[in-house]
Amino acid sequence: MKSTKNLLGRSAFDLSETKYFESVSVKDIASHAQVERQTFYYYFSDKYQCLAFYLQQWGKLLAERDGSTNLEQHLLNLLDVIRKHKEAIIHITYGDQGYSLLSAFLDTALNQFILQSEGKKPTDSLDKGAQFFAYGIHGIIIEWIKNGMSDDPSTLLSKTLPTSTESVDRLFSEA
């Protein structure tokens, strides 16, 4: 059975599928999760913390379930998931804190994908080259979202990733 904390986070995200997160209230989230408002405050101080928790968990789960060791396939899977939830992503990014929430989600997912691609554990940290690469991909994805996600994910990746994995591998190798 899902924990109440996860249920509240999922409710915050689900409500974002149909309306801007800025207009979602704590009462809405608690009601959607079928818990009392006081229960919400047991776990979270506000709706942003609730959604941030869910997005962090979602990013980790995407990386765990991905199964691919190919970075390009990881990124394609991530873009497909984002596009599948296009309305929620747009509704989340509309507000003042929206892009910071989305950025945290992308950081989690991208870091986990890169570590997996390198055969490292999720608890390891990225080296400088991998951090640089992750920031670049992060920025590209944010721009793609801001522009309405009009490019097909595979087209976006073919335009932005190096044509050979040798370039990417050099970023990840220790100098």
Side-chain angles (χ1 to χ4, degrees):
M1 187 168 143
K2 290 184 179 180
S3 76
T4 302
K5 190 173 185 177
N6 289 333
L7 182 62
L8 286 163
R10 179 62 197 220
S11 293
F13 185 79
D14 287 348
L15 290 167
S16 298
E17 293 276 3
T18 57
K19 63 182 179 177
Y20 290 106
F21 190 68
E22 285 292 309
S23 64
V24 172
S25 68
V26 167
K27 182 179 177 184
D28 294 336
I29 296 168
S31 177
H32 188 270
Q34 299 179 340
V35 300
E36 297 294 323
R37 195 164 183 240
Q38 294 85 351
T39 303
F40 176 92
Y41 286 111
Y42 175 78
Y43 293 102
F44 304 106
S45 60
D46 61 30
K47 67 182 187 176
Y48 300 103
Q49 185 185 42
C50 178
L51 185 59
F53 167 78
Y54 177 76
L55 292 173
Q56 289 292 326
Q57 296 305 310
W58 191 34
K60 289 176 189 173
L61 188 63
L62 286 174
E64 288 171 11
R65 289 187 176 170
D66 186 72
S68 175
T69 56
N70 177 292
L71 183 58
E72 187 172 352
Q73 188 60 50
H74 282 311
L75 294 172
L76 185 59
N77 294 345
L78 176 62
L79 294 175
D80 284 340
V81 166
I82 290 171
R83 202 168 194 203
K84 179 181 175 190
H85 296 284
K86 182 177 181 175
E87 290 302 315
I89 298 300
I90 289 169
H91 290 156
I92 289 167
T93 56
Y94 176 77
D96 293 337
Q97 297 184 36
Y99 278 104
S100 64
L101 291 170
L102 183 63
S103 287
F105 160 71
L106 289 174
D107 287 344
T108 299
L110 289 170
N111 290 351
Q112 295 299 313
F113 286 154
I114 290 170
L115 288 170
Q116 270 183 268
S117 296
E118 294 180 320
K120 294 183 178 177
K121 295 178 281 192
T123 55
D124 291 338
S125 57
L126 299 180
D127 60 43
K128 296 294 181 201
Q131 286 176 1
F132 178 79
F133 183 74
Y135 289 139
I137 293 295
H138 180 134
I140 290 166
I141 293 173
I142 292 290
E143 282 302 308
W144 176 68
I145 291 167
K146 284 181 179 179
N147 292 325
M149 301 179 225
S150 55
D151 281 343
D152 178 71
S154 58
T155 304
L156 178 69
L157 290 179
S158 69
K159 289 181 188 177
T160 57
L161 289 180
T163 53
S164 78
T165 58
E166 184 179 316
S167 312
V168 175
D169 290 343
R170 261 187 277 139
L171 280 176
F172 296 150
S173 64
E174 293 294 326

